[in-house]
Amino acid sequence: MGRDMRIAMIGAGYVGLVSGACLADFGHQVVCVDKDAHRIAALERGEISIYEPGLNELVRANVKEGRLSFATRFGEAVRAADAVFLAVGTPSRRGDGHADLSFVYDATREIAAALGGFTVIITKSTVPVGTSDEIERIIFEERPDAEFAVVSNPEFLREGAAIYDFKHPNRIVVGALDERAREVMADIYRPLCLNQAPILYTTRRNAELIKYASNAFLATKITFINEMADLCERVGADIQEVARGIGLDHRIGPKFLHAGPGFGGSCLPKDMRALIKTAQDHDIRLRIIETVLSINDVRKRAMARKVAAIFSGALRGKTVAVLGLTFKPNTDDMREAPSIALITALQDMGAVVRAFDPAGMDQAQAVLERVVYCENAYECVEGTDAVVVVTEWEQFRALDLERLRDLMACPVMVDLRNIYRPEEVRSRGFAYASIGRVQSRPIAADHERWPASLARAREDMPSL
Ligand SMILES: NC(=O)c1ccc[n+]([C@@H]2O[C@H](COP(=O)([O-])OP(=O)(O)OC[C@H]3O[C@@H](n4cnc5c(N)ncnc54)[C@H](O)[C@@H]3O)[C@@H](O)[C@H]2O)c1
């Protein structure tokens, strides 16, 4: 039988808080430690500063059961721990795109100072290959007396489905050669092994690289389908059908074949940059990944041209409603969200932007200026010349199109997630553009406002 572990989780952000709460839910005793005193004070009051479905309830239940607590200092939590997880951020370093490991190494030194008996230190943050070796070296240097082992255990959860993913992983990757450390990891994850989640034991370097290689593959798959979508638009094909046809091949699979405005978020872009830099340091060029990253960078801003195209390039003075700001649904995370590049480009072209997001408004206000923030989708489209769906939140999937049309000055929809069927939207009188499907022809640049523009908007033949 496994034993319940005492765990210190360093970093109470998306990964740390979700992992900490889930591990507590497995029966372990978990202390989440974060430098951010505001975050910890809020958690102690029962307030969770990040939006993640189910997280509130999970945290509250485990705090109530006495298995989950919070701290700003490492001392007691680390001293008493069998296992210390590092889940601090590893953002892109300003200037050169390498992973900024300063949070990891600062935390490592504090962990070293507080170590008690044999402790397993587990790198859950996404870190370049070799970082866990460096963590081990730092601890040896700071505490030659300490008994410890360093393990790499990268995290694959998706924001928005983080709890489900943590509890139902496709695999658990454990990079550890030390037998005692492997036993501790097996005890920590025993409840998942009962659910048949495979544990892949490997070396630390392999584990670190598995994480980056997985993300690189996913980013490549997204970029591949986005480029196919561009081709579909030119040749009068439909990317939805093409993607379905590709995805039915078991060697390829249907996931990550949804064409859209380009990938964003807290992981894929910065992990791609870090991977490219790691490779360059070893005199290797990852040309596929370099290309994926540059295609994606250009794509996000280029989405504004899709909106402009409907007005024959003339966006000055137009008002555009943007629905969805976060980089994906069910999160409040705005890091590298496609909406940022898109909105900035729309503003650069002279458009006034109104926006609504179900959870990301606070974070959006910190990064996007000169935007009129609205209370809901219908208020957002009032008097606008076009509505752009950027993030596929559930509540945008079944908007009352007639109500939308009647509120707008001009019925134009640009659906960057292909959540509507073109016939459905066009039959309500909209000009409709989406990704990788037949686009509506431009309406006149000096268009008379709805409904005079309707007749032209309905013309939906591709311009071959
Ligand atoms: N967000 C995801 O979906 C996801 C998925 C898989 C892996 N990851 C990786 O997990 C790591 C964490 O990502 P995140 O999104 O949770 O980041 P985050 O920014 O949400 O959280 C990081 C937390 O660490 C805290 N912190 C920083 N330095 C600290 C220190 N010295 N001591 C204590 N706390 C400290 C910060 O205050 C912050 O609360 C990153 O390496 C990321 O790449 C993230």
Side-chain angles (χ1 to χ4, degrees):
M1 270 307 286
R3 54 194 176 103
D4 294 340
M5 293 278 150
R6 277 165 305 176
I7 293 172
M9 181 67 64
I10 311 299
Y14 281 92
V15 168
L17 192 57
V18 169
S19 309
C22 288
L23 291 171
D25 213 42
F26 295 165
H28 302 305
Q29 198 69 38
V30 180
V31 185
C32 287
V33 183
D34 203 293
K35 283 278 183 206
D36 183 340
H38 292 295
R39 181 162 276 187
I40 293 299
L43 285 165
E44 280 174 338
R45 288 194 303 273
E47 293 164 19
I48 293 176
S49 51
I50 54 179
Y51 178 88
E52 180 63 42
L55 188 56
N56 259 310
E57 298 75 10
L58 193 72
V59 168
R60 251 182 235 141
N62 283 283
V63 168
K64 195 162 163 236
E65 294 295 325
R67 290 190 296 260
L68 180 62
S69 59
F70 307 101
T72 50
R73 288 169 187 270
F74 286 55
E76 216 13 68
V78 171
R79 197 164 302 116
D82 302 297
V84 179
F85 281 87
L86 271 165
V88 300
T90 48
S92 281
R93 191 162 68 188
R94 281 222 179 140
D96 67 4
H98 274 279
D100 178 352
L101 294 173
S102 57
F103 302 106
V104 170
Y105 294 145
D106 287 351
T108 300
R109 285 188 198 91
E110 289 207 48
I111 292 169
L115 283 176
F118 176 72
T119 313
V120 180
I121 293 128
I122 303 146
T123 318
K124 195 159 254 324
S125 301
T126 303
V127 292
V129 62
T131 304
S132 298
D133 294 355
E134 180 62 9
I135 291 172
E136 185 177 78
R137 192 195 62 76
I138 292 173
I139 299 177
F140 266 132
E141 195 175 271
E142 303 268 323
R143 284 288 302 278
D145 60 308
E147 261 197 281
F148 70 97
V150 177
V151 170
S152 166
N153 171 221
E155 183 50 60
F156 299 94
L157 61 76
R158 296 162 301 168
E159 284 178 22
I163 294 170
Y164 180 87
D165 285 355
F166 192 91
K167 291 191 168 184
H168 304 85
N170 292 165
R171 78 303 208 185
I172 300 160
V173 175
V174 173
L177 296 177
D178 183 291
E179 202 43 53
R180 263 168 102 188
R182 285 189 176 191
E183 279 169 25
V184 169
M185 296 306 285
D187 278 336
I188 291 173
Y189 285 115
R190 196 165 311 272
L192 294 183
C193 299
L194 298 175
N195 291 340
Q196 315 273 304
I199 295 197
L200 172 71
Y201 289 105
T202 182
T203 66
R204 288 199 299 235
R205 283 177 179 248
N206 287 345
E208 288 165 339
L209 206 49
I210 285 169
K211 172 66 192 174
Y212 280 101
S214 300
N215 275 359
F217 195 83
L218 295 175
T220 306
K221 214 170 166 190
I222 295 171
T223 305
F224 170 81
I225 205 68
N226 284 344
E227 285 208 319
M228 282 299 140
D230 293 346
L231 181 59
C232 283
E233 283 177 28
R234 285 295 170 88
V235 300
D238 182 331
I239 193 63
Q240 301 291 109
E241 297 282 310
V242 173
R244 192 169 137 70
I246 304 170
L248 284 169
D249 186 327
H250 291 190
R251 293 169 301 179
I252 298 172
K255 304 268 175 71
F256 277 70
L257 286 181
H258 302 288
F263 58 79
S266 61
C267 290
L268 291 189
K270 67 123 175 131
D271 289 350
M272 293 312 91
R273 287 192 287 270
L275 182 58
I276 290 166
K277 287 293 172 187
T278 300
Q280 286 172 357
D281 282 352
H282 292 83
D283 211 10
I284 296 290
R285 278 197 66 190
L286 297 179
R287 280 167 297 184
I288 292 176
I289 307 306
E290 286 174 9
T291 308
V292 162
L293 195 58
S294 72
I295 292 171
N296 194 65
D297 278 347
V298 173
R299 184 173 186 83
K300 294 190 218 176
R301 190 172 160 87
M303 289 297 110
R305 288 208 296 277
K306 238 181 195 328
V307 186
I310 298 224
F311 298 98
S312 303
L315 269 189
R316 188 153 303 280
K318 301 276 187 295
T319 304
V320 179
V322 172
L323 298 183
L325 296 169
T326 52
F327 84 95
K328 61 152 119 171
N330 296 323
T331 178
D332 58 353
D333 202 333
M334 283 294 295
R335 288 178 278 188
E336 306 208 30
S339 66
I340 300 172
L342 166 76
I343 289 176
T344 311
L346 290 172
Q347 291 172 332
D348 290 347
M349 291 181 196
V352 172
V353 176
R354 295 164 66 84
F356 167 69
D357 187 277
M361 301 288 266
D362 289 346
Q363 294 210 19
Q365 282 171 32
V367 286
L368 283 165
E369 291 174 353
R370 295 185 292 122
V371 171
V372 181
Y373 291 97
C374 305
E375 295 285 316
N376 59 54
Y378 296 103
E379 185 198 320
C380 187
V381 303
E382 255 178 61
T384 56
D385 298 284
V387 56
V388 188
V389 180
V390 182
T391 315
E392 67 280 30
W393 283 89
E394 212 54 56
Q395 60 175 265
F396 299 149
R397 286 179 183 273
L399 291 167
D400 177 343
L401 293 178
E402 275 153 27
R403 186 172 164 205
L404 218 61
R405 179 197 62 203
D406 294 346
L407 285 165
M408 295 177 73
C410 178
V412 170
M413 180 184 276
V414 180
D415 175 2
L416 300 182
R417 300 290 180 175
N418 290 355
I419 58 178
Y420 285 97
R421 282 183 297 116
E423 329 69 83
E424 184 191 0
V425 186
R426 289 189 182 123
S427 72
R428 302 301 201 313
F430 281 85
Y432 178 74
S434 56
I435 302 277
R437 301 189 290 188
V438 171
Q439 311 292 308
S440 280
R441 282 210 182 137
I443 55 178
D446 55 348
H447 71 273
E448 287 178 57
R449 296 196 148 189
W450 187 89
S453 57
L454 278 190
R456 300 217 52 188
R458 286 195 181 150
E459 292 172 33
D460 58 6
M461 292 304 292
S463 39
L464 290 174

